[in-house]
């Protein structure tokens, strides 16, 4: 099913957008949210995201390949991509671009979603969603005790890293050099890989990561 979003005048909503619809419950979200489109639930509202451009999909695919193969090589857990569902906490259900769950917290095989917290969540922003991703989502992930939250901004060529500390997230920005993960042991990427056009060969990047991790 393809969801068509319309204005009050009957025109289809096109281009990048972030739409919030009030009056929902979490139960209604589970019953009615479409499976082929990114819909999230947050404290009485559903949040509808516009379809991602190809550049976004390529970057998600690149980093998913690196993280998934690394995690499998070390037997650490499992990597998921949206629209896989992460229930961060009661009243907050997200469909992150990419997230990692340690093997000790993986759901049962027949589960339809992951019950939080996740160990690492990665989001890729565009100008219409930048403030929400950096502030609103960060607050939700912090409340849900997600250990690490990366926000990749291809336009500004910066990665904002949120790491859980005491009492909450510690935030830093990296635009060059190595980006290490504390949630995925010994995993890292080079920031410059993310900004190349075209993206570098994923197999070669993975080889470098695996060799450095021992």
């Amino acid at each position: 099913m393809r969801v068509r979003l319309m204005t009050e005048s009957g025109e289809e909503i096109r281009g990048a957008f972030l739409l919030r619809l009030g009056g929902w419950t979490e139960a209604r979200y589970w019953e009615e949210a479409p499976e082929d489109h990114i819909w999230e639930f947050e404290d009485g509202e559903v949040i509808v995201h516009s379809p991602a451009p190809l550049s976004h999909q390529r970057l998600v695919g690149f980093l998913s390949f690196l993280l998934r193969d690394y995690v499998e090589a070390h037997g650490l857990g499992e990597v998921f991509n949206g629209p896989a569902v992460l229930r961060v906490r009661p009243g907050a259900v997200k469909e992150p671009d990419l997230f990692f769950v340690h093997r000790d917290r993986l759901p049962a095989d027949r589960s339809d979603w992951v019950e939080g917290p996740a160990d690492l969540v990665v989001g890729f922003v565009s100008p219409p969603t930048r403030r929400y991703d950096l502030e609103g989502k960060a607050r939700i992930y912090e409340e849900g005790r997600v250990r690490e939250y990366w926000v990749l901004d291809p336009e500004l060529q910066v990665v904002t890293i949120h790491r859980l500390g005491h009492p909450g997230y510690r935030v830093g920005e990296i635009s060059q050099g190595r980006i290490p993960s504390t949630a995925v042991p010994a995993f890292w990427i080079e920031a410059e890989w993310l900004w190349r056009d075209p993206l570098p060969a994923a197999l070669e990047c993975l080889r470098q990561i695996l060799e450095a991790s021992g």
Side-chain angles (χ1 to χ4, degrees):
M1 178 182 69
R2 175 166 173 77
V3 178
R4 298 177 67 214
L5 300 174
M6 314 297 289
T7 66
E8 293 182 355
S9 62
E11 297 178 355
E12 185 173 3
I13 299 175
R14 297 181 179 273
F17 60 82
L18 183 71
L19 184 65
R20 306 183 76 110
L21 305 173
W24 282 62
T25 64
E26 188 172 338
R28 183 184 174 190
Y29 165 85
W30 292 115
E31 291 176 0
E32 299 183 23
E35 296 181 356
D36 63 345
H37 203 83
I38 301 295
W39 284 44
E40 300 178 319
F41 178 79
E42 187 178 307
D43 300 324
E45 296 182 320
V46 288
I47 302 170
V48 183
H49 297 260
S50 59
L54 290 180
S55 58
H56 177 111
Q57 292 293 333
R58 292 184 182 112
L59 194 50
V60 171
F62 172 74
L63 190 51
S64 296
F65 174 85
L66 297 180
L67 183 59
R68 180 171 288 111
D69 279 52
Y70 180 88
V71 164
E72 289 182 358
H74 292 279
L76 298 175
E78 196 165 352
V79 175
F80 301 91
N81 292 101
V85 175
L86 172 66
R87 188 171 185 259
V88 182
R89 59 161 172 76
V93 183
K94 296 298 179 185
E95 300 182 13
D97 289 305
L98 173 64
F99 63 103
F100 160 71
V101 181
H102 190 273
R103 60 178 178 268
D104 293 340
R105 284 187 290 280
L106 286 174
D109 290 342
R110 296 185 178 181
S111 178
D112 290 331
W113 67 86
V114 175
E115 193 74 27
D119 292 271
L120 171 66
V121 170
V122 181
F124 301 77
V125 308
S126 61
T129 68
R130 184 176 289 121
R131 181 173 180 180
Y132 173 64
D133 288 318
L134 289 172
E135 298 178 11
K137 277 190 179 180
R139 175 180 56 82
I140 295 295
Y141 291 139
E142 183 180 44
E143 291 170 354
R145 309 302 291 172
V146 171
R147 288 181 59 193
E148 198 168 33
Y149 172 43
W150 294 11
V151 184
L152 278 63
D153 192 327
E155 182 184 54
L156 300 182
Q157 296 191 352
V158 64
V159 181
T160 303
I161 308 291
H162 303 73
R163 291 195 174 105
L164 201 58
H166 299 286
Y169 274 150
R170 298 176 180 176
V171 183
E173 293 185 348
I174 300 176
S175 58
Q176 297 180 3
R178 185 170 291 190
I179 304 174
S181 173
T182 56
V184 185
F187 179 76
W188 56 271
I189 61 170
E190 290 286 348
E192 290 86 349
W193 292 346
L194 305 171
W195 322 134
R196 292 186 194 173
D197 186 16
L199 290 165
L203 278 173
E204 173 58 25
C205 295
L206 177 63
R207 183 190 62 79
Q208 295 180 43
I209 297 169
L210 289 173
E211 286 183 354
S213 71

